[in-house]
Amino acid sequence: MTTPTTIAIKVNGETRELPEGASVADLLAALKLAAPKVAVERNLEIVPRSAWASTRLAPGDRLEVVHFIGGG
């Protein structure tokens, strides 16, 4: 039996391991973050919400995930 290959990325400065081939959408699901109130930057470039599922993460990627909280 083979073990799944993982990659190491940085999310908000913290190292995380994800399965190889994981997308931005997979990362957000793992973080349990809802799409409507989240912005994602990958390697200093904003990732449009429409590209989250198709944007594959690579070893060493640096992501900033911002979660907006509503209220007054």
Side-chain angles (χ1 to χ4, degrees), residues 33-64:
L33 292 176
K37 296 184 179 184
V38 173
V40 179
E41 179 185 270
R42 176 181 173 233
N43 301 328
L44 304 178
E45 291 187 18
I46 297 293
V47 179
R49 186 170 292 135
S50 61
W52 287 357
S54 62
T55 301
R56 299 285 169 224
L57 300 173
D61 276 353
R62 300 177 72 80
L63 293 104
E64 293 295 324

Side-chain angles (χ1 to χ4, degrees), residues 7 18-24 26-27 55-58:
I7 60 169
L18 288 174
E20 186 174 38
S23 67
V24 170
D26 296 330
L27 169 65
T55 301
R56 299 285 169 224
L57 300 173

Side-chain angles (χ1 to χ4, degrees), residues 12 32-34 36-39 65-69:
N12 296 348
K32 295 180 174 52
L33 292 176
K37 296 184 179 184
V38 173
V65 178
V66 180
H67 184 222
F68 300 99
I69 299 173

